[in-house]
Amino acid sequence: MTTTEPRPTGTEARLTGTEVRLTSTEARLTGAESRPTGAEARPTGAEAQSTTTEPWPTAADADGVARDLPAVLYPLQPDHPELVAPFAASVARTGARRLWLCQSFRAEPHQVLAHLAGMGHTVPVGTAVTLLPLRHPYEAALQARSLALLTGQPVVAGYGIGTPDFAKGLAPEPYRSPRTAVGDYVRSVRALLDGESVAYDGPYHRLHAELPPVGPHAPVEVGAGVLRPGMARTAGATADVAITWMTPPAYVRDVLVPQLAAGAAESGRAGRPRIATAVHVAVARPGRDPRHLARVAAGAHLGAPHYADMLRRAGVDTGGPDPAAELLRADVVVTGTPEEIAATLARYRAAGVDEILLNPTAVLLTEGVHAAVDDMEEIIAATAG
């Protein structure tokens, strides 16, 4: 929140430019829906002692439901945690797999997630992705482990380069090899989280340190942002999770999965990383134009060279006369009834996606927070059914 911009007031959600503004009373759902307490809020006993890399136990995990349900993504840059609270409450209410945030240059995502935990929203969380030029791997590992300690829930800490111009503005030297930069970074973060003493002098960071030991905490997976084959191979060799955005199911199956597997095999790993894919979704409702929603959802990414290149490789012609229709045809933006959307998401899973992030950008920007939450909860219910 900047000093020149007042906190939200009034009683209704407002759209200003590309951000959603929400009042305090709207942002906080009340009662048991939003504030888990007691045994609900934190794992205890043997559950709290686990430090394995397996998913942290939840009530839903007993019958396997939680792992099959989608996760929830808050896709904007919030300037206060209250804007994200309805999404966190929805995760707790529906049993969705996780709450994800992307990089924010307003309220920093690790701090937002920690604040939400302090409000009582103790749910599994992830970052998709934060930008590695912003922090040294030691700081990244410390932040990720701190979230696991503060929330008592599993964390996926995802990292990516960002745009070349962004990296150039922060790094002492340009990233001549983004793959090397990401791979070395992810290895260092993983080693620190595993309690290792790291001694590394590389082209993009220097690290001679270890994290001080702490008590048992929920597991932390280290993720890497992946769009194209080269980075998929690097992630296969180094990451626990490959985090993708707007990657069509056939592209995941035919391009990313083989490269992830090849990278894992080259490094002697037992299997490829999990794949977590953010998918634009919008339930079909009266007055909603699917093409307009597709443009709103994906428009900003279509101008980014790395996304445009990935989509071309995937056979999605976003340079043609009707890019919105192409996004809908390729299931980059998924619309329909909740049941139809659930069926399309099943195709993502069949293609190799292990965790689906429901991305309601279009509805969030055009209709507000509660409409976006309603869409996601109906989709989650259809997936569970």
Side-chain angles (χ1 to χ4, degrees):
M1 176 72 65
T2 62
T3 56
T4 59
E5 191 171 22
R7 286 282 299 278
T9 59
T11 59
E12 61 181 358
R14 296 179 175 86
L15 293 171
T16 303
T18 59
E19 65 185 4
V20 175
R21 303 199 170 276
L22 177 72
T23 68
S24 297
T25 54
E26 288 181 304
R28 295 192 177 97
L29 304 181
T30 59
E33 288 186 338
S34 65
R35 297 181 182 274
T37 58
E40 290 180 28
R42 295 185 182 277
T44 58
E47 197 173 275
Q49 300 304 309
S50 172
T51 56
T52 69
T53 56
E54 292 300 310
W56 197 244
T58 67
D61 277 333
D63 59 4
V65 173
R67 295 194 192 185
D68 291 334
L69 292 181
V72 165
L73 171 68
Y74 184 87
L76 305 183
Q77 298 187 35
D79 52 17
H80 196 278
E82 290 175 353
L83 298 171
V84 188
F87 281 61
S90 179
V91 171
R93 188 164 55 245
T94 62
R97 185 162 182 173
R98 197 183 316 274
L99 171 65
W100 291 81
L101 298 186
C102 52
Q103 178 64 57
S104 171
F105 297 99
R106 295 170 185 260
E108 201 280 331
H110 296 85
Q111 296 186 43
V112 169
L113 292 169
H115 185 104
L116 289 170
M119 293 172 63
H121 298 295
T122 48
V123 297
V125 297
T127 55
V129 294
T130 57
L131 302 184
L132 62 87
L134 291 173
R135 53 178 61 86
H136 189 274
Y138 190 94
E139 169 71 6
L142 179 60
Q143 290 275 9
R145 190 179 71 173
S146 296
L147 270 182
L149 286 165
L150 292 171
T151 64
Q153 295 288 336
V155 174
V156 177
Y159 305 102
I161 289 283
T163 65
D165 286 345
F166 176 81
K168 182 180 178 181
L170 295 184
E173 297 180 4
Y175 289 122
R176 290 182 294 275
S177 172
R179 289 180 58 186
T180 299
V182 171
D184 290 352
Y185 192 99
V186 167
R187 284 191 192 94
S188 289
V189 173
R190 180 71 271 164
L192 289 167
L193 291 169
D194 288 341
E196 297 178 19
S197 179
V198 179
Y200 176 75
D201 292 282
Y204 302 111
H205 73 266
R206 181 176 187 272
L207 175 60
H208 290 261
E210 61 187 47
L211 288 176
V214 294
H217 59 79
V220 180
E221 293 177 287
V222 181
V226 169
L227 287 180
R228 292 178 285 185
M231 192 62 77
R233 206 173 189 98
T234 296
T238 60
D240 303 316
V241 186
I243 301 167
T244 81
W245 283 57
M246 295 174 56
T247 49
Y251 180 79
V252 172
R253 181 192 64 231
D254 298 336
V255 177
L256 297 185
V257 167
Q259 291 299 317
L260 288 166
E266 289 169 358
S267 64
R269 307 179 84 187
R272 67 163 175 82
R274 294 195 308 110
I275 300 174
T277 297
V279 181
H280 287 289
V281 293
V283 173
R285 303 190 191 277
R288 288 185 178 177
D289 176 2
R291 280 182 169 81
H292 174 67
L293 291 174
R295 287 190 292 270
V296 171
H301 286 97
L302 297 184
H306 50 314
Y307 277 94
D309 180 59
M310 178 274 293
L311 289 168
R312 280 193 299 271
R313 292 168 184 252
V316 183
D317 181 14
T318 58
D322 195 348
E326 279 288 286
L327 296 170
L328 294 165
R329 177 195 61 78
D331 292 329
V332 175
V333 179
V334 183
T335 64
T337 67
E339 292 74 19
E340 289 168 341
I341 292 173
T344 300
L345 298 181
R347 292 198 288 274
Y348 271 91
R349 293 186 67 85
V353 174
D354 302 282
E355 182 169 351
I356 293 168
L357 288 57
L358 299 180
N359 182 351
T361 294
V363 174
L364 186 58
L365 288 174
T366 57
E367 298 181 30
V369 170
H370 295 297
V373 169
D374 287 346
D375 270 20
M376 290 189 295
E377 293 195 351
E378 291 182 23
I379 294 166
I380 291 167
T383 304

